[in-house]
PDB file of all heavy atoms in Angstrom:
ATOM      1  N   PHE A   1      -3.507 -48.229 -13.124  1.00  0.00           N
ATOM      2  CA  PHE A   1      -2.573 -47.541 -14.025  1.00  0.00           C
ATOM      3  C   PHE A   1      -1.113 -47.859 -13.727  1.00  0.00           C
ATOM      4  O   PHE A   1      -0.337 -48.086 -14.670  1.00  0.00           O
ATOM      5  CB  PHE A   1      -2.803 -46.028 -13.975  1.00  0.00           C
ATOM      6  CG  PHE A   1      -1.826 -45.261 -14.840  1.00  0.00           C
ATOM      7  CD1 PHE A   1      -2.018 -45.191 -16.209  1.00  0.00           C
ATOM      8  CD2 PHE A   1      -0.714 -44.642 -14.294  1.00  0.00           C
ATOM      9  CE1 PHE A   1      -1.126 -44.507 -17.014  1.00  0.00           C
ATOM     10  CE2 PHE A   1       0.188 -43.957 -15.086  1.00  0.00           C
ATOM     11  CZ  PHE A   1      -0.019 -43.887 -16.456  1.00  0.00           C
ATOM     12  N   PRO A   2      -0.668 -47.861 -12.457  1.00  0.00           N
ATOM     13  CA  PRO A   2       0.747 -48.223 -12.216  1.00  0.00           C
ATOM     14  C   PRO A   2       1.108 -49.598 -12.765  1.00  0.00           C
ATOM     15  O   PRO A   2       2.192 -49.773 -13.343  1.00  0.00           O
ATOM     16  CB  PRO A   2       0.868 -48.177 -10.685  1.00  0.00           C
ATOM     17  CG  PRO A   2      -0.198 -47.234 -10.251  1.00  0.00           C
ATOM     18  CD  PRO A   2      -1.330 -47.458 -11.202  1.00  0.00           C
ATOM     19  N   LEU A   3       0.207 -50.577 -12.610  1.00  0.00           N
ATOM     20  CA  LEU A   3       0.466 -51.911 -13.152  1.00  0.00           C
ATOM     21  C   LEU A   3       0.495 -51.888 -14.674  1.00  0.00           C
ATOM     22  O   LEU A   3       1.384 -52.487 -15.299  1.00  0.00           O
ATOM     23  CB  LEU A   3      -0.604 -52.888 -12.660  1.00  0.00           C
ATOM     24  CG  LEU A   3      -0.549 -54.306 -13.244  1.00  0.00           C
ATOM     25  CD1 LEU A   3       0.741 -54.997 -12.842  1.00  0.00           C
ATOM     26  CD2 LEU A   3      -1.762 -55.120 -12.804  1.00  0.00           C
ATOM     27  N   ILE A   4      -0.455 -51.179 -15.286  1.00  0.00           N
ATOM     28  CA  ILE A   4      -0.500 -51.098 -16.750  1.00  0.00           C
ATOM     29  C   ILE A   4       0.749 -50.403 -17.284  1.00  0.00           C
ATOM     30  O   ILE A   4       1.360 -50.860 -18.265  1.00  0.00           O
ATOM     31  CB  ILE A   4      -1.775 -50.357 -17.194  1.00  0.00           C
ATOM     32  CG1 ILE A   4      -3.026 -51.151 -16.784  1.00  0.00           C
ATOM     33  CG2 ILE A   4      -1.775 -50.123 -18.702  1.00  0.00           C
ATOM     34  CD1 ILE A   4      -4.330 -50.418 -17.022  1.00  0.00           C
ATOM     35  N   ALA A   5       1.150 -49.294 -16.630  1.00  0.00           N
ATOM     36  CA  ALA A   5       2.349 -48.582 -17.064  1.00  0.00           C
ATOM     37  C   ALA A   5       3.589 -49.454 -16.915  1.00  0.00           C
ATOM     38  O   ALA A   5       4.485 -49.441 -17.769  1.00  0.00           O
ATOM     39  CB  ALA A   5       2.508 -47.288 -16.263  1.00  0.00           C
ATOM     40  N   ALA A   6       3.652 -50.225 -15.829  1.00  0.00           N
ATOM     41  CA  ALA A   6       4.798 -51.125 -15.619  1.00  0.00           C
ATOM     42  C   ALA A   6       4.853 -52.196 -16.701  1.00  0.00           C
ATOM     43  O   ALA A   6       5.936 -52.540 -17.187  1.00  0.00           O
ATOM     44  CB  ALA A   6       4.713 -51.757 -14.237  1.00  0.00           C
ATOM     45  N   GLN A   7       3.695 -52.729 -17.100  1.00  0.00           N
ATOM     46  CA  GLN A   7       3.664 -53.747 -18.148  1.00  0.00           C
ATOM     47  C   GLN A   7       4.085 -53.158 -19.490  1.00  0.00           C
ATOM     48  O   GLN A   7       4.798 -53.819 -20.273  1.00  0.00           O
ATOM     49  CB  GLN A   7       2.266 -54.356 -18.249  1.00  0.00           C
ATOM     50  CG  GLN A   7       1.808 -55.117 -17.019  1.00  0.00           C
ATOM     51  CD  GLN A   7       2.766 -56.224 -16.616  1.00  0.00           C
ATOM     52  OE1 GLN A   7       3.200 -57.012 -17.444  1.00  0.00           O
ATOM     53  NE2 GLN A   7       3.110 -56.269 -15.336  1.00  0.00           N
ATOM     54  N   ILE A   8       3.655 -51.931 -19.761  1.00  0.00           N
ATOM     55  CA  ILE A   8       4.087 -51.270 -21.005  1.00  0.00           C
ATOM     56  C   ILE A   8       5.601 -51.068 -20.994  1.00  0.00           C
ATOM     57  O   ILE A   8       6.286 -51.329 -21.998  1.00  0.00           O
ATOM     58  CB  ILE A   8       3.360 -49.919 -21.168  1.00  0.00           C
ATOM     59  CG1 ILE A   8       1.860 -50.151 -21.388  1.00  0.00           C
ATOM     60  CG2 ILE A   8       3.940 -49.127 -22.339  1.00  0.00           C
ATOM     61  CD1 ILE A   8       1.036 -48.879 -21.399  1.00  0.00           C
ATOM     62  N   TYR A   9       6.128 -50.632 -19.856  1.00  0.00           N
ATOM     63  CA  TYR A   9       7.574 -50.405 -19.761  1.00  0.00           C
ATOM     64  C   TYR A   9       8.345 -51.716 -19.929  1.00  0.00           C
ATOM     65  O   TYR A   9       9.360 -51.770 -20.629  1.00  0.00           O
ATOM     66  CB  TYR A   9       7.909 -49.763 -18.421  1.00  0.00           C
ATOM     67  CG  TYR A   9       9.399 -49.597 -18.198  1.00  0.00           C
ATOM     68  CD1 TYR A   9      10.106 -48.598 -18.853  1.00  0.00           C
ATOM     69  CD2 TYR A   9      10.086 -50.450 -17.346  1.00  0.00           C
ATOM     70  CE1 TYR A   9      11.475 -48.461 -18.659  1.00  0.00           C
ATOM     71  CE2 TYR A   9      11.450 -50.309 -17.147  1.00  0.00           C
ATOM     72  CZ  TYR A   9      12.130 -49.314 -17.808  1.00  0.00           C
ATOM     73  OH  TYR A   9      13.486 -49.184 -17.630  1.00  0.00           O
ATOM     74  N   LYS A  10       7.862 -52.795 -19.304  1.00  0.00           N
ATOM     75  CA  LYS A  10       8.551 -54.079 -19.416  1.00  0.00           C
ATOM     76  C   LYS A  10       8.518 -54.611 -20.844  1.00  0.00           C
ATOM     77  O   LYS A  10       9.442 -55.322 -21.267  1.00  0.00           O
ATOM     78  CB  LYS A  10       7.906 -55.094 -18.463  1.00  0.00           C
ATOM     79  CG  LYS A  10       8.204 -54.829 -16.996  1.00  0.00           C
ATOM     80  CD  LYS A  10       7.534 -55.881 -16.107  1.00  0.00           C
ATOM     81  CE  LYS A  10       7.836 -55.628 -14.637  1.00  0.00           C
ATOM     82  NZ  LYS A  10       7.183 -56.628 -13.755  1.00  0.00           N
ATOM     83  N   PHE A  11       7.470 -54.281 -21.589  1.00  0.00           N
ATOM     84  CA  PHE A  11       7.392 -54.728 -22.981  1.00  0.00           C
ATOM     85  C   PHE A  11       8.319 -53.913 -23.881  1.00  0.00           C
ATOM     86  O   PHE A  11       8.937 -54.447 -24.811  1.00  0.00           O
ATOM     87  CB  PHE A  11       5.953 -54.617 -23.480  1.00  0.00           C
ATOM     88  CG  PHE A  11       5.771 -55.039 -24.908  1.00  0.00           C
ATOM     89  CD1 PHE A  11       5.831 -56.377 -25.269  1.00  0.00           C
ATOM     90  CD2 PHE A  11       5.539 -54.089 -25.903  1.00  0.00           C
ATOM     91  CE1 PHE A  11       5.677 -56.771 -26.585  1.00  0.00           C
ATOM     92  CE2 PHE A  11       5.374 -54.481 -27.220  1.00  0.00           C
ATOM     93  CZ  PHE A  11       5.446 -55.821 -27.567  1.00  0.00           C
ATOM     94  N   VAL A  12       8.425 -52.609 -23.588  1.00  0.00           N
ATOM     95  CA  VAL A  12       9.222 -51.724 -24.442  1.00  0.00           C
ATOM     96  C   VAL A  12      10.699 -51.749 -24.052  1.00  0.00           C
ATOM     97  O   VAL A  12      11.577 -51.607 -24.914  1.00  0.00           O
ATOM     98  CB  VAL A  12       8.659 -50.283 -24.369  1.00  0.00           C
ATOM     99  CG1 VAL A  12       9.537 -49.309 -25.130  1.00  0.00           C
ATOM    100  CG2 VAL A  12       7.246 -50.248 -24.906  1.00  0.00           C
ATOM    101  N   ALA A  13      10.999 -51.934 -22.760  1.00  0.00           N
ATOM    102  CA  ALA A  13      12.369 -51.790 -22.252  1.00  0.00           C
ATOM    103  C   ALA A  13      13.401 -52.657 -22.963  1.00  0.00           C
ATOM    104  O   ALA A  13      14.515 -52.173 -23.232  1.00  0.00           O
ATOM    105  CB  ALA A  13      12.388 -52.073 -20.744  1.00  0.00           C
ATOM    106  N   PRO A  14      13.118 -53.936 -23.297  1.00  0.00           N
ATOM    107  CA  PRO A  14      14.154 -54.736 -23.968  1.00  0.00           C
ATOM    108  C   PRO A  14      14.601 -54.165 -25.313  1.00  0.00           C
ATOM    109  O   PRO A  14      15.702 -54.483 -25.781  1.00  0.00           O
ATOM    110  CB  PRO A  14      13.477 -56.108 -24.158  1.00  0.00           C
ATOM    111  CG  PRO A  14      12.458 -56.168 -23.077  1.00  0.00           C
ATOM    112  CD  PRO A  14      11.954 -54.769 -22.944  1.00  0.00           C
ATOM    113  N   GLY A  15      13.777 -53.343 -25.954  1.00  0.00           N
ATOM    114  CA  GLY A  15      14.146 -52.739 -27.222  1.00  0.00           C
ATOM    115  C   GLY A  15      14.865 -51.415 -27.093  1.00  0.00           C
ATOM    116  O   GLY A  15      15.160 -50.768 -28.100  1.00  0.00           O
ATOM    117  N   LEU A  16      15.131 -50.970 -25.856  1.00  0.00           N
ATOM    118  CA  LEU A  16      15.798 -49.698 -25.612  1.00  0.00           C
ATOM    119  C   LEU A  16      17.243 -49.923 -25.180  1.00  0.00           C
ATOM    120  O   LEU A  16      17.580 -50.960 -24.615  1.00  0.00           O
ATOM    121  CB  LEU A  16      15.057 -48.907 -24.531  1.00  0.00           C
ATOM    122  CG  LEU A  16      13.575 -48.584 -24.776  1.00  0.00           C
ATOM    123  CD1 LEU A  16      12.984 -47.910 -23.560  1.00  0.00           C
ATOM    124  CD2 LEU A  16      13.408 -47.711 -26.011  1.00  0.00           C
ATOM    125  N   TYR A  17      18.085 -48.944 -25.465  1.00  0.00           N
ATOM    126  CA  TYR A  17      19.442 -48.971 -24.939  1.00  0.00           C
ATOM    127  C   TYR A  17      19.413 -48.706 -23.438  1.00  0.00           C
ATOM    128  O   TYR A  17      18.439 -48.203 -22.892  1.00  0.00           O
ATOM    129  CB  TYR A  17      20.318 -47.919 -25.635  1.00  0.00           C
ATOM    130  CG  TYR A  17      20.579 -48.209 -27.090  1.00  0.00           C
ATOM    131  CD1 TYR A  17      20.210 -47.293 -28.076  1.00  0.00           C
ATOM    132  CD2 TYR A  17      21.194 -49.387 -27.481  1.00  0.00           C
ATOM    133  CE1 TYR A  17      20.448 -47.545 -29.414  1.00  0.00           C
ATOM    134  CE2 TYR A  17      21.441 -49.655 -28.817  1.00  0.00           C
ATOM    135  CZ  TYR A  17      21.066 -48.730 -29.777  1.00  0.00           C
ATOM    136  OH  TYR A  17      21.303 -48.999 -31.089  1.00  0.00           O
ATOM    137  N   LYS A  18      20.520 -49.025 -22.786  1.00  0.00           N
ATOM    138  CA  LYS A  18      20.575 -48.854 -21.335  1.00  0.00           C
ATOM    139  C   LYS A  18      20.370 -47.398 -20.942  1.00  0.00           C
ATOM    140  O   LYS A  18      19.641 -47.096 -19.990  1.00  0.00           O
ATOM    141  CB  LYS A  18      21.921 -49.355 -20.803  1.00  0.00           C
ATOM    142  CG  LYS A  18      22.001 -49.383 -19.282  1.00  0.00           C
ATOM    143  CD  LYS A  18      23.387 -49.822 -18.823  1.00  0.00           C
ATOM    144  CE  LYS A  18      23.655 -51.258 -19.235  1.00  0.00           C
ATOM    145  NZ  LYS A  18      24.962 -51.740 -18.708  1.00  0.00           N
ATOM    146  N   ASN A  19      21.000 -46.465 -21.676  1.00  0.00           N
ATOM    147  CA  ASN A  19      20.835 -45.041 -21.338  1.00  0.00           C
ATOM    148  C   ASN A  19      19.415 -44.570 -21.612  1.00  0.00           C
ATOM    149  O   ASN A  19      18.883 -43.689 -20.924  1.00  0.00           O
ATOM    150  CB  ASN A  19      21.843 -44.191 -22.117  1.00  0.00           C
ATOM    151  CG  ASN A  19      21.661 -44.328 -23.620  1.00  0.00           C
ATOM    152  OD1 ASN A  19      21.123 -45.327 -24.093  1.00  0.00           O
ATOM    153  ND2 ASN A  19      22.113 -43.347 -24.381  1.00  0.00           N
ATOM    154  N   GLU A  20      18.743 -45.170 -22.630  1.00  0.00           N
ATOM    155  CA  GLU A  20      17.345 -44.810 -22.903  1.00  0.00           C
ATOM    156  C   GLU A  20      16.428 -45.315 -21.806  1.00  0.00           C
ATOM    157  O   GLU A  20      15.468 -44.632 -21.435  1.00  0.00           O
ATOM    158  CB  GLU A  20      16.925 -45.390 -24.250  1.00  0.00           C
ATOM    159  CG  GLU A  20      17.615 -44.744 -25.434  1.00  0.00           C
ATOM    160  CD  GLU A  20      17.288 -45.420 -26.746  1.00  0.00           C
ATOM    161  OE1 GLU A  20      16.925 -46.616 -26.719  1.00  0.00           O
ATOM    162  OE2 GLU A  20      17.401 -44.762 -27.799  1.00  0.00           O
ATOM    163  N   ARG A  21      16.717 -46.502 -21.271  1.00  0.00           N
ATOM    164  CA  ARG A  21      15.905 -47.030 -20.162  1.00  0.00           C
ATOM    165  C   ARG A  21      16.073 -46.150 -18.923  1.00  0.00           C
ATOM    166  O   ARG A  21      15.102 -45.877 -18.215  1.00  0.00           O
ATOM    167  CB  ARG A  21      16.310 -48.471 -19.849  1.00  0.00           C
ATOM    168  CG  ARG A  21      15.905 -49.459 -20.924  1.00  0.00           C
ATOM    169  CD  ARG A  21      15.985 -50.886 -20.425  1.00  0.00           C
ATOM    170  NE  ARG A  21      17.357 -51.289 -20.161  1.00  0.00           N
ATOM    171  CZ  ARG A  21      18.142 -51.886 -21.043  1.00  0.00           C
ATOM    172  NH1 ARG A  21      17.687 -52.144 -22.264  1.00  0.00           N
ATOM    173  NH2 ARG A  21      19.374 -52.239 -20.721  1.00  0.00           N
ATOM    174  N   ARG A  22      17.296 -45.726 -18.656  1.00  0.00           N
ATOM    175  CA  ARG A  22      17.522 -44.843 -17.493  1.00  0.00           C
ATOM    176  C   ARG A  22      16.821 -43.506 -17.673  1.00  0.00           C
ATOM    177  O   ARG A  22      16.362 -42.903 -16.704  1.00  0.00           O
ATOM    178  CB  ARG A  22      19.022 -44.635 -17.290  1.00  0.00           C
ATOM    179  CG  ARG A  22      19.751 -45.835 -16.714  1.00  0.00           C
ATOM    180  CD  ARG A  22      21.072 -45.423 -16.108  1.00  0.00           C
ATOM    181  NE  ARG A  22      21.919 -44.755 -17.090  1.00  0.00           N
ATOM    182  CZ  ARG A  22      22.872 -45.350 -17.793  1.00  0.00           C
ATOM    183  NH1 ARG A  22      23.100 -46.643 -17.624  1.00  0.00           N
ATOM    184  NH2 ARG A  22      23.597 -44.680 -18.667  1.00  0.00           N
ATOM    185  N   ALA A  23      16.748 -43.026 -18.901  1.00  0.00           N
ATOM    186  CA  ALA A  23      16.097 -41.732 -19.156  1.00  0.00           C
ATOM    187  C   ALA A  23      14.583 -41.842 -19.090  1.00  0.00           C
ATOM    188  O   ALA A  23      13.891 -40.909 -18.669  1.00  0.00           O
ATOM    189  CB  ALA A  23      16.524 -41.201 -20.530  1.00  0.00           C
ATOM    190  N   PHE A  24      14.029 -42.991 -19.490  1.00  0.00           N
ATOM    191  CA  PHE A  24      12.575 -43.163 -19.572  1.00  0.00           C
ATOM    192  C   PHE A  24      11.949 -43.459 -18.219  1.00  0.00           C
ATOM    193  O   PHE A  24      10.823 -43.034 -17.945  1.00  0.00           O
ATOM    194  CB  PHE A  24      12.265 -44.302 -20.555  1.00  0.00           C
ATOM    195  CG  PHE A  24      10.804 -44.486 -20.817  1.00  0.00           C
ATOM    196  CD1 PHE A  24      10.103 -43.575 -21.600  1.00  0.00           C
ATOM    197  CD2 PHE A  24      10.106 -45.561 -20.288  1.00  0.00           C
ATOM    198  CE1 PHE A  24       8.749 -43.745 -21.850  1.00  0.00           C
ATOM    199  CE2 PHE A  24       8.757 -45.730 -20.528  1.00  0.00           C
ATOM    200  CZ  PHE A  24       8.078 -44.817 -21.318  1.00  0.00           C
ATOM    201  N   LEU A  25      12.665 -44.175 -17.348  1.00  0.00           N
ATOM    202  CA  LEU A  25      12.091 -44.629 -16.086  1.00  0.00           C
ATOM    203  C   LEU A  25      11.623 -43.490 -15.176  1.00  0.00           C
ATOM    204  O   LEU A  25      10.539 -43.581 -14.586  1.00  0.00           O
ATOM    205  CB  LEU A  25      13.105 -45.517 -15.355  1.00  0.00           C
ATOM    206  CG  LEU A  25      12.572 -46.313 -14.167  1.00  0.00           C
ATOM    207  CD1 LEU A  25      11.409 -47.194 -14.591  1.00  0.00           C
ATOM    208  CD2 LEU A  25      13.672 -47.166 -13.546  1.00  0.00           C
ATOM    209  N   PRO A  26      12.389 -42.388 -15.005  1.00  0.00           N
ATOM    210  CA  PRO A  26      11.893 -41.295 -14.135  1.00  0.00           C
ATOM    211  C   PRO A  26      10.566 -40.715 -14.598  1.00  0.00           C
ATOM    212  O   PRO A  26       9.730 -40.338 -13.773  1.00  0.00           O
ATOM    213  CB  PRO A  26      13.015 -40.245 -14.213  1.00  0.00           C
ATOM    214  CG  PRO A  26      14.227 -41.012 -14.583  1.00  0.00           C
ATOM    215  CD  PRO A  26      13.752 -42.109 -15.476  1.00  0.00           C
ATOM    216  N   PHE A  27      10.361 -40.643 -15.923  1.00  0.00           N
ATOM    217  CA  PHE A  27       9.102 -40.106 -16.425  1.00  0.00           C
ATOM    218  C   PHE A  27       7.946 -41.054 -16.148  1.00  0.00           C
ATOM    219  O   PHE A  27       6.812 -40.629 -15.966  1.00  0.00           O
ATOM    220  CB  PHE A  27       9.219 -39.832 -17.924  1.00  0.00           C
ATOM    221  CG  PHE A  27      10.250 -38.787 -18.263  1.00  0.00           C
ATOM    222  CD1 PHE A  27      11.473 -39.146 -18.778  1.00  0.00           C
ATOM    223  CD2 PHE A  27       9.987 -37.451 -18.041  1.00  0.00           C
ATOM    224  CE1 PHE A  27      12.423 -38.190 -19.084  1.00  0.00           C
ATOM    225  CE2 PHE A  27      10.934 -36.475 -18.332  1.00  0.00           C
ATOM    226  CZ  PHE A  27      12.156 -36.853 -18.860  1.00  0.00           C
ATOM    227  N   LEU A  28       8.231 -42.355 -16.112  1.00  0.00           N
ATOM    228  CA  LEU A  28       7.208 -43.334 -15.777  1.00  0.00           C
ATOM    229  C   LEU A  28       6.735 -43.154 -14.336  1.00  0.00           C
ATOM    230  O   LEU A  28       5.577 -43.406 -14.011  1.00  0.00           O
ATOM    231  CB  LEU A  28       7.764 -44.743 -15.982  1.00  0.00           C
ATOM    232  CG  LEU A  28       6.764 -45.896 -16.009  1.00  0.00           C
ATOM    233  CD1 LEU A  28       5.820 -45.757 -17.192  1.00  0.00           C
ATOM    234  CD2 LEU A  28       7.484 -47.233 -16.058  1.00  0.00           C
ATOM    235  N   VAL A  29       7.626 -42.712 -13.465  1.00  0.00           N
ATOM    236  CA  VAL A  29       7.268 -42.449 -12.071  1.00  0.00           C
ATOM    237  C   VAL A  29       6.591 -41.086 -11.931  1.00  0.00           C
ATOM    238  O   VAL A  29       5.625 -40.928 -11.184  1.00  0.00           O
ATOM    239  CB  VAL A  29       8.528 -42.527 -11.182  1.00  0.00           C
ATOM    240  CG1 VAL A  29       8.186 -42.163  -9.743  1.00  0.00           C
ATOM    241  CG2 VAL A  29       9.155 -43.916 -11.256  1.00  0.00           C
ATOM    242  N   ALA A  30       7.077 -40.101 -12.683  1.00  0.00           N
ATOM    243  CA  ALA A  30       6.555 -38.736 -12.558  1.00  0.00           C
ATOM    244  C   ALA A  30       5.140 -38.604 -13.110  1.00  0.00           C
ATOM    245  O   ALA A  30       4.342 -37.814 -12.601  1.00  0.00           O
ATOM    246  CB  ALA A  30       7.481 -37.750 -13.267  1.00  0.00           C
ATOM    247  N   SER A  31       4.801 -39.388 -14.133  1.00  0.00           N
ATOM    248  CA  SER A  31       3.502 -39.244 -14.789  1.00  0.00           C
ATOM    249  C   SER A  31       2.322 -39.476 -13.843  1.00  0.00           C
ATOM    250  O   SER A  31       1.430 -38.613 -13.745  1.00  0.00           O
ATOM    251  CB  SER A  31       3.434 -40.190 -15.995  1.00  0.00           C
ATOM    252  OG  SER A  31       2.223 -40.030 -16.680  1.00  0.00           O
ATOM    253  N   PRO A  32       2.258 -40.607 -13.101  1.00  0.00           N
ATOM    254  CA  PRO A  32       1.114 -40.774 -12.180  1.00  0.00           C
ATOM    255  C   PRO A  32       1.121 -39.771 -11.036  1.00  0.00           C
ATOM    256  O   PRO A  32       0.051 -39.374 -10.559  1.00  0.00           O
ATOM    257  CB  PRO A  32       1.277 -42.211 -11.666  1.00  0.00           C
ATOM    258  CG  PRO A  32       2.688 -42.567 -11.908  1.00  0.00           C
ATOM    259  CD  PRO A  32       3.099 -41.813 -13.125  1.00  0.00           C
ATOM    260  N   ILE A  33       2.305 -39.352 -10.602  1.00  0.00           N
ATOM    261  CA  ILE A  33       2.373 -38.358  -9.521  1.00  0.00           C
ATOM    262  C   ILE A  33       1.768 -37.038  -9.984  1.00  0.00           C
ATOM    263  O   ILE A  33       0.976 -36.405  -9.262  1.00  0.00           O
ATOM    264  CB  ILE A  33       3.830 -38.169  -9.052  1.00  0.00           C
ATOM    265  CG1 ILE A  33       4.329 -39.444  -8.372  1.00  0.00           C
ATOM    266  CG2 ILE A  33       3.944 -36.980  -8.095  1.00  0.00           C
ATOM    267  CD1 ILE A  33       5.787 -39.396  -7.972  1.00  0.00           C
ATOM    268  N   LEU A  34       2.112 -36.606 -11.189  1.00  0.00           N
ATOM    269  CA  LEU A  34       1.561 -35.364 -11.724  1.00  0.00           C
ATOM    270  C   LEU A  34       0.054 -35.481 -11.958  1.00  0.00           C
ATOM    271  O   LEU A  34      -0.693 -34.528 -11.735  1.00  0.00           O
ATOM    272  CB  LEU A  34       2.269 -35.002 -13.031  1.00  0.00           C
ATOM    273  CG  LEU A  34       3.712 -34.514 -12.884  1.00  0.00           C
ATOM    274  CD1 LEU A  34       4.376 -34.372 -14.240  1.00  0.00           C
ATOM    275  CD2 LEU A  34       3.757 -33.180 -12.146  1.00  0.00           C
TER     276      LEU A  34
END
């Protein structure tokens, strides 16, 4: 899952603004922890 989530983020990230990428990344880390 961490690898799959990272690949999804890398695919979506170029289409996001810088502030959107900063906002989305913490949730990508929090999701597997929860």
Side-chain angles (χ1 to χ4, degrees):
F1 178 79
L3 175 64
I4 296 173
Q7 296 304 312
I8 293 173
Y9 175 75
K10 288 180 180 179
F11 179 73
V12 174
L16 302 175
Y17 293 122
K18 187 183 295 184
N19 60 336
E20 292 174 336
R21 290 195 293 268
R22 286 200 303 263
F24 185 73
L25 192 57
F27 297 104
L28 194 64
V29 176
S31 183
I33 293 175
L34 288 172

